[in-house]
């Protein structure tokens, strides 16, 4: 997540360097053609780029809006993960029957599940970004057996949720919770499983490819026609004007592209590691643990 | 689902070939008329195609947005199918009471239901696409009696869910689960039934026909008026310019059309077979089965 | 629901005949005025119809979008009716305790409720369309006493749901289902009651009248100004051009109007009878009934 | 709710009288300035009002859309109130255990709760509109003690729901319903309480004030610039043309304003009294009461 | 929340002072350049600012719409907080078994939880705004031990919900409520925890920074091009016209910015303190407490 401090100019323009160079090339080319072969260029009426500009602006604005919805949906799902992770631990704490607790057994299951929940959040975030999902944060919150187990599994966050389910079953079988409470906690874990599925869906569903290609193609068509229309009226001023206009369109297009895919290990990502840290802080406070960590600090102009 | 590798140019332009030929014909016709009967063509003021272009762009942009919403809804429902299929097996595994399990009976019901769930996913995907719903993937995960039974039924995926319900009832009657757990699992199967109904609805509801026809008609009206306006100002340049603009509009229109109907056995389909494979992998890992298959590989530039 | 076969030209243009005649009258009038009293008409700058055209296109595009949302919501509710009707029967079948079933009593209640559910779907569809809600399809699936009872009630589909509730109570009192299962089935019937309320809401809520009138008035304002602007530049070509443009705007407006009200007994209606038939087929297959009917066939270019 | 009969012309234009007079004043002023001090007015290029017109049309179209969403949300919540009110009585009727009913006590609680539910609907509607919430319809359906009690309370509809909860508790304590059924009915009353909160929210949340002011200011800016541009090209025709265009913009703006606030005791309100009457009819039919009233008739061109 | 009384002119224009000064500077600069070096300025065709104006208007309109959705979502969540806070107390009152109440113990727990719920609402509001979350309103409704406890916690509203859970557990363990009722109330507290997470999400998620920067940059690009186009046609009139148009665009942009962040301790905030006061009034009336406070009065032109 980009934060509201000064974003380096270099970071912004690196993204559209290639497109700008192309635009420069054809705008200079048209200029040269104009000087030498003036009569070969058609006299484009200015209304033509106007109508194309309106069309592409509309498509682009809708596209940004769809990308924004997708980005906001991803953020909402991670918000639900925060809520359900906290709820899971609060519910366990509220439901576990202390009297039936022989030798502090269910108390230790609560601790185990709470730490595994923290590990799950870190693991899911890394896994979505295509990084190694078993980081130090994950290992520190899991027993060595659990770590070994998930190494053998394809979908590691999903394997962790299965372990949560196994512990829930043990709590029920040792009568630390009743059937009614088991079903309620089961619902919470099912919601976590749903949230995981939702972010996996956003991550694995490519935004309709042809749609994006046609918008890109349409921007170029607009810029070429605009360049032809400008070159005859404003002369060499055409080059800086076209470059500025092209920058704006390409920057908006890139913004849409980044919002569409919020788990690509880029500065514009949803801040999943920071969110996992928040969950860790909240859960450790619920359990009155001493070693509550600090919130994640931003890395320069962004927060991961 | 198209994937982000190079999509063949031929694939893209085949879709709009017919429309482009029509556009070429009338743009050339107007050109010829201009040469021979110049005075018969009205002097169209350029603002007229501008206002028509704005109108049709707006309608088209909204249309693309509605199509996108429909496509995303279809994808969301399949995401819910992933989640609920996994949840169903996790819940069964977490709830089934091992002590009451006489002769490993309920363990074998769990296996049966898990494989039937895999079969259901494949079967639903094929059935939506209008293919033969009983593929090898379906048969391999069902008992021969089940295969014979669903052959006699009209709505095969629905018949499979009924079989799941019968097994659930048996689990309850043999006291492997209690009434409370039965209702919870019943809710999960009901959600699967809902998801099936939702994708059937998207598949069977024709996008408002007149709406689509009028948009198509409006694009032609715009192109004809634009052609008339261009022919007088840019001469023969009108032909390539009009063709390019027409391509863009028709491509955007076709993109909308493909997103509206995401289960038509085309490269732009929702990747239901790949999703069913993911479910198969996840479920087999839950049950610690040895023969976990690989994820489905893309066929060239798309994934089914 | 219109289907994707050729829609008769006559059907489409009958809707806008009146509006087109009005447009023809004033476009011809302006033409005559131009010929005889040329100097009395103001020299409308073409940008004026451009800005009005953009405004009305925007309002119209949003209006179509709102109408589309309303149409899609109606279709979604009927999709939920399909799902909950099937779920109701599946749940009853899965929950009814065969051992407590004295003299096959609860089996016969299941049959009764299943047929009444089919009757309810047909009855609701006809009732929404303002037709006689007690058709042959309704009578064939109800006992004569039930038919007599609903004749005395104002809201006939609602009365049928009350009868379902009475039978549910009887199942509980004869201990064929337990309290937990009763509540679960009660939720399903409550959802059906909700869906009924939702389609009643869509049907009885008039789309904001002034909003629609102002859009209609705005289209005329645009066409009159456009006519004045065209008459001076393109002469008699103004008449066919204006007629074509007016057709497109009025057709789009009519499309919005039809989508807003999806239960008016018109070809553009949501296909409620066909949906009720689908439910009948599915329910009869669940109960292994022999006389499963065929899906409803389209009547020419539409399906009711 | 306005109904689809002829809406008086006077009703429509009264709303924008003031704005139209202002527009007339400045359009006439510019005309006079033009005649006497022609050279003092700038020669506004017509593209300037075009771009402003597009901007304000966009903002207005989005504003209408947001207002429409708010209006439709209000209508949806009242639809949910219809559904949950009917469901509450159906559930009570289906759950109350007749055998445990000593001296017809719980039957009389059912009657009491049903009438109180009718009273609640009328009371909520009047309370939202800022009228005296204790009308004849409310008093007729409540015991005198209840009427006296709610007179002492600030939030009268909320007080009625508390009384429903008290009766529900009594039903549970007399064992007329079991704990499971109590929780289910409790959920229904909670949903009613939620719906009440939602309409209170819509009613008490002022639509962002600055947003509305800036749109109003923007319309004037557009009209002034348009007036300056028109006065030089079309002469005195400017006055009727500007007035017509201004009317359309102000009418659309007022439509948005009315849809934003659907409980202001105006003809454009959501028809809450008519809805409460529908609930009364439905509930009285469930209980087989003889004195079922007629649906509320419209008052001229609208229904309250 | 701004209220519908006269908003001070000074308040509105303070926000865009800086941007207007910049616009004045470059519009005057262009004017001077025009006078002295007329031939150095390109002759910008007016269609260029038209197409840019359309594009930026579109992006701005969508941006306002996204901001509005975010603002409305925040208001909806606080509406849900009102509903669930009231429901929590109603449910506790309806469920607590008076017979099992030894020494009025559970009655006093009800009082304690009700006051803590009031404290939670005030505390959450202040905490979102970054103020000291432990105000007098919070302290007055909490026991001194509770106040001391939350002082040690990072997330104070969350700590208060944990205390609610502890009391709920005590109610269950003293058999004042049964397991079924415990789960139902647990759901209500979980929903409150969800609402808290949702407003924290809205508060902590920065609106995509680059998106906002590019829109701001695009407005300047449009104004500069427009200034160049105007300076040649309308002379010194350019300065007031440009200033007015710039004001409108910047005001709309600022409106979007304020709606995006509804918890920044500004007059445009969601009125969270007033909402907390409403909850306090409602809860105190449920418990028949004598000291019901007045609703919060607006501070000048806004309500906090």
């Amino acid at each position: 997540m980009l934060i509201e401090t000064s974003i380096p100019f270099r970071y912004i323009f690196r993204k559209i360097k290639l497109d700008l160079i192309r635009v420069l090339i054809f705008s200079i080319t048209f200029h040269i053609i104009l000087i030498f072969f003036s009569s070969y260029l058609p006299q484009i009426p200015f209304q033509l780029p106007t109508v194309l500009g309106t069309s592409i602006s509309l498509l682009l604005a809708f596209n940004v809006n769809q990308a924004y919805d997708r980005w906001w949906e991803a953020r909402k799902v991670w918000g639900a993960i925060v809520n359900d992770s906290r709820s899971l631990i609060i519910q366990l704490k509220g439901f576990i029957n202390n009297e039936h607790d022989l030798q502090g057994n269910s108390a230790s299951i609560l601790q185990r599940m709470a730490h595994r929940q923290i590990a799950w959040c870190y693991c899911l975030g890394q896994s979505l970004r295509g990084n190694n999902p078993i980081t130090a944060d994950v290992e520190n919150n899991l027993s060595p057996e659990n770590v070994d187990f998930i190494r053998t599994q394809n979908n590691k966050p999903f394997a962790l949720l299965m372990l949560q389910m196994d512990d829930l079953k043990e709590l029920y079988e040792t009568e630390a919770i009743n059937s009614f409470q088991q079903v309620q906690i089961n619902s919470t874990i099912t919601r976590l499983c749903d949230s995981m599925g939702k972010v996996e869906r956003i991550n694995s569903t490519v935004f309709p490819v042809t749609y994006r290609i046609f918008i890109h193609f349409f921007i170029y068509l607009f810029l070429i026609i605009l360049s032809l229309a400008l070159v005859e009226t404003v002369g060499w001023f055409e080059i800086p004007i076209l470059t500025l206009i092209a920058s704006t369109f390409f920057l908006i297009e890139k913004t849409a592209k980044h919002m569409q895919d919020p788990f690509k290990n880029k500065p514009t990502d949803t801040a999943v590691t920071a969110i996992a840290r928040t969950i860790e802080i909240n859960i450790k406070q619920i359990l009155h643990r001493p070693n509550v960590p600090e919130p994640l600090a931003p890395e320069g102009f962004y927060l991961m």
Side-chain angles (χ1 to χ4, degrees), chain A residues 88-258:
Chain A
L88 176 69
I89 309 310
I90 290 182
Q91 284 177 333
L92 282 170
K93 214 182 145 205
F95 287 158
I96 287 175
N97 187 337
N98 300 326
E99 291 176 22
H100 275 79
D101 192 358
L102 310 156
Q103 300 102 27
N105 188 30
S106 44
S108 82
I109 294 184
L110 170 61
Q111 297 291 331
R112 202 161 73 201
M113 290 182 78
H115 282 279
R116 195 185 288 128
Q117 191 57 33
I118 296 169
W120 179 80
C121 296
Y122 283 112
C123 181
L124 178 60
Q126 293 307 312
S127 155
L128 286 170
R129 284 184 178 153
N131 295 341
N132 171 21
I134 306 178
T135 62
D137 285 316
V138 174
E139 289 197 57
N140 294 344
N141 285 291
L142 288 181
S143 68
E145 300 79 48
N146 281 187
V147 175
D148 289 346
F149 171 69
I150 65 170
R151 280 196 207 283
T152 68
Q153 299 278 309
N154 291 356
N155 189 335
K156 290 171 196 0
F158 185 52
L160 284 173
L161 282 188
M162 282 193 282
L163 292 172
Q164 296 289 59
M165 279 292 192
D166 290 346
D167 274 357
L168 180 64
K169 194 175 187 179
E170 189 177 336
L171 282 175
Y172 173 61
E173 283 174 350
T174 59
E175 289 177 30
I177 54 173
N178 63 33
S179 173
F180 205 70
Q181 294 163 332
Q182 180 198 19
V183 166
Q184 180 82 349
I185 297 173
N186 178 288
S187 297
T188 305
I189 300 183
T190 303
R191 281 203 305 276
L192 286 166
C193 186
D194 280 5
S195 294
M196 188 181 74
K198 282 176 186 167
V199 283
E200 284 173 2
R201 159 170 59 78
I202 292 174
N203 209 31
S204 72
T205 309
V206 180
F207 196 88
V209 180
T210 46
Y211 185 17
R212 211 162 54 197
I213 292 175
F214 299 156
I215 286 179
H216 200 67
F217 169 69
F218 208 155
I219 295 180
Y220 271 101
L221 180 63
F222 163 63
L223 291 173
I224 288 171
I225 301 270
L226 181 64
S227 180
L228 285 171
L230 278 173
V231 85
E232 304 236 6
T233 46
V234 302
W236 70 267
F237 271 101
E238 177 241 7
I239 297 168
I241 289 176
L242 196 75
T243 311
L244 273 174
I245 294 175
S247 305
T248 321
F249 276 88
F250 287 123
L251 283 173
I252 300 283
E253 194 206 7
K254 282 289 172 297
T255 299
K257 198 164 182 316
H258 286 162

